[in-house]
Amino acid sequence: MTPERPEAVQMPLEFIIGCGEPLTRSIALMERACRRMQLPPEVTANLVMPQEIRVFRMPCKTLGKVVNLWGVLALHNNARGPFKGGVRISADVSLWETVELARLMTLKTAVTDTEFGGGKTGIRVDMAEMYRRFGRHPLDPDFEKIISLDAVAYYAQAMREVFASHIYVPAPDLGTGPDEMASIFNETLDPASVTGKPEGTHGWLPGRKEATGYGVAYIARRVMQEMLGRDPAGATAAIQGFGNVGSHTAIYLAQAGVKVVAITDSRGGVYDPDGLDIAALQEHALHTGTVSGFAGPQPFANDQLWGLEVDLLIPAAIGNVITGENARRVRARAVVEGANMPTSVEAIDLLDAQRVVVIPDILANAGGVVASMDEYSRSLSAAKMTRQEVFATVERSLGEAFDECRDRGRVTGECMSEAAVSLAVERVYGAMRRRRMT
Ligand code: NAD
């Protein structure tokens, strides 16, 4: 179901492009915040719409052939600092999806008071089509790596000036990682032009890889102690996703004594009411690529997660998994969003009515971008940082944002998702006004 939109704001960009952006979760929540602030429609449009979109075609030479790849660079807002956001390589990249992800970055950096703006890159690569074109058999990680490295190397060449001038500071996202960030560094030879660089290279940051999951687990602990009145030791959690975010969240929760009773991924799941052995599960997933088939605990389907009676439900895989359809089945006391936009606006409202606390993505999973600011600063100054120092910054930034959102909600009646977006919009609007950008 599409969320309600009482007075749709006219978006000038949509007239220029000639097609309308779908009503996304961040637009719906930003429009609510702007209405509360009684901002005029043209200011709302300036806050919601990106400052710049580049749609490009790159002739990319790879494995002896030229493949033309299309992509989008969405620069949403830089009122508070350089545009910041990941480079995504996927078959279903689209203009509006890239804009939505860039907007999410603006909100995420603002709510945690990290002095970056929001941007995103999407490069459309259909790996199935690549296998056909090059006559290769599917599921060859080395082949896919060559394609993604070449795609990012060409992208870095094409956008060299944007990176070198720190207009937009890229990072890894779906389909890219430290290796691809190294090829951007190779192009600019400037360690501060990109974050998420590989270990041991100029300006890399210990703890960057774990920072998002560390932050999710930290926020989860705060929720248990301060909103659920529950000691983390012995509390229960269920997690969707056991990739970078899900696995590190599980590790740090288990370290705090939380019983992680269920974990699912794209191929299945496992359940143990006494708490899963996370270290053993990690070892299993490393060898098999999935949590499914882990000896001992019971098999478990993704769909069973939503009705599980646990203290915490942590979607840390994909977007839009908790919707108006299944929100009423949720028996958890709190949802902590590890993934980007896993809960629809309709589900946020239903869960709020059911008194289930929802901690939004822009707060809960912001540990990665907070650590990126450490990486950026350290790359500029050449001062080294330890993993403990990085984790301390994550705790401070996320902790302060958590306090501000909770306190704000107590006064305004906003749920945590609304309070976080309102706080972010206020900060971005304030910076835009001071810089006379609106
Ligand atoms: P990842 O690729 O490392 O892991 C993704 C996990 O999700 C895997 O376990 C995969 O099996 C599972 N999964 C995929 N499709 C699924 C499905 N249909 N049902 C159930 N499970 C499924 O990705 P990640 O880096 O852990 O990112 C996860 C989410 O967190 C994404 O939404 C991402 O945008 C968001 N995020 C990541 C970071 C970061 O630093 N990595 C930061 C902020 C937000």
Side-chain angles (χ1 to χ4, degrees), residues 173-242:
D173 194 69
L174 211 71
T176 64
D179 295 340
E180 287 76 13
M181 300 308 110
S183 68
I184 296 178
F185 175 44
N186 287 345
E187 185 62 40
T188 60
L189 298 178
D190 171 2
S193 66
V194 54
T195 63
K197 297 180 290 293
E199 182 170 344
T201 58
H202 191 176
W204 79 287
L205 193 78
R208 168 63 188 88
K209 193 174 61 191
E210 306 93 319
T212 304
Y214 183 87
V216 174
Y218 166 74
I219 287 293
R221 283 196 339 256
R222 298 275 316 261
V223 170
M224 285 184 275
Q225 287 162 334
E226 295 167 38
M227 296 175 112
L228 307 182
R230 187 86 166 88
D231 185 349
T236 53
I239 303 177
Q240 184 183 48
F242 202 59

Side-chain angles (χ1 to χ4, degrees), residues 89-396:
I89 293 188
S90 136
D92 51 17
V93 158
S94 75
L95 184 146
W96 291 127
E97 182 206 55
T98 312
V99 167
E100 170 71 350
L101 292 167
R103 188 163 35 228
L104 201 70
M105 288 305 297
T106 301
L107 297 175
K108 205 175 282 192
T109 51
V111 78
T112 53
D113 204 5
T114 307
E115 289 174 3
F116 279 133
K120 201 84 180 182
T121 300
I123 303 175
R124 194 170 187 145
V125 179
D126 183 348
M127 283 299 174
E129 163 65 15
M130 291 293 163
Y131 281 116
R132 273 194 299 277
R133 222 166 137 180
F134 285 88
R136 301 280 184 127
H137 291 293
L139 298 185
D140 177 350
D142 295 339
F143 171 73
E144 295 191 18
K145 193 73 194 168
I146 292 171
I147 303 276
S148 64
L149 280 172
D150 284 343
V152 174
Y154 272 83
Y155 175 61
Q157 234 172 48
M159 299 290 170
R160 194 186 172 285
E161 287 315 310
V162 178
F163 303 146
S165 56
H166 301 192
I167 289 173
Y168 163 55
V169 184
D173 194 69
L174 211 71
T176 64
D179 295 340
E180 287 76 13
M181 300 308 110
S183 68
I184 296 178
F185 175 44
N186 287 345
E187 185 62 40
T188 60
L189 298 178
D190 171 2
S193 66
V194 54
T195 63
K197 297 180 290 293
E199 182 170 344
T201 58
H202 191 176
W204 79 287
L205 193 78
R208 168 63 188 88
K209 193 174 61 191
E210 306 93 319
T212 304
Y214 183 87
V216 174
Y218 166 74
I219 287 293
R221 283 196 339 256
R222 298 275 316 261
V223 170
M224 285 184 275
Q225 287 162 334
E226 295 167 38
M227 296 175 112
L228 307 182
R230 187 86 166 88
D231 185 349
T236 53
I239 303 177
Q240 184 183 48
F242 202 59
N244 181 288
V245 180
S247 67
H248 288 115
T249 301
I251 290 166
Y252 292 115
L253 282 179
Q255 273 178 16
V258 175
K259 281 201 286 185
V260 181
V261 296
I263 299 185
T264 62
D265 65 20
S266 58
R267 286 159 61 186
V270 280
Y271 173 71
D272 185 342
D274 296 326
L276 294 158
D277 178 343
I278 302 300
L281 182 60
Q282 216 189 359
E283 196 60 30
H284 168 83
L286 199 67
H287 290 110
T288 62
T290 175
V291 295
S292 184
F294 182 51
Q298 305 160 28
F300 196 73
N302 261 291
D303 197 45
Q304 290 175 273
L305 266 185
W306 319 123
L308 212 55
E309 246 177 80
V310 280
D311 294 300
L312 295 171
L313 184 56
I314 306 182
I318 52 171
N320 211 35
V321 287
I322 306 179
T323 63
E325 301 285 305
N326 59 9
R328 285 191 184 83
R329 280 169 47 205
V330 169
R331 292 287 166 270
R333 298 176 65 204
V335 174
V336 179
E337 295 187 331
N340 285 331
M341 297 176 287
T343 316
S344 71
V345 176
E346 190 189 1
I348 288 173
D349 291 341
L350 283 169
L351 291 171
D352 188 41
Q354 290 163 218
R355 299 191 172 280
V356 178
V357 176
V358 179
I359 306 294
D361 48 8
I362 57 171
L363 167 56
N365 73 25
V369 77
V370 167
S372 286
M373 178 49 94
D374 279 346
E375 184 174 341
Y376 181 66
S377 331
R378 136 154 181 57
S379 295
L380 289 170
S381 69
K384 288 204 172 188
M385 289 185 84
T386 64
R387 177 176 275 105
Q388 280 62 39
E389 285 169 325
V390 173
F391 288 171
T393 321
V394 170
E395 287 203 8
R396 192 175 57 250

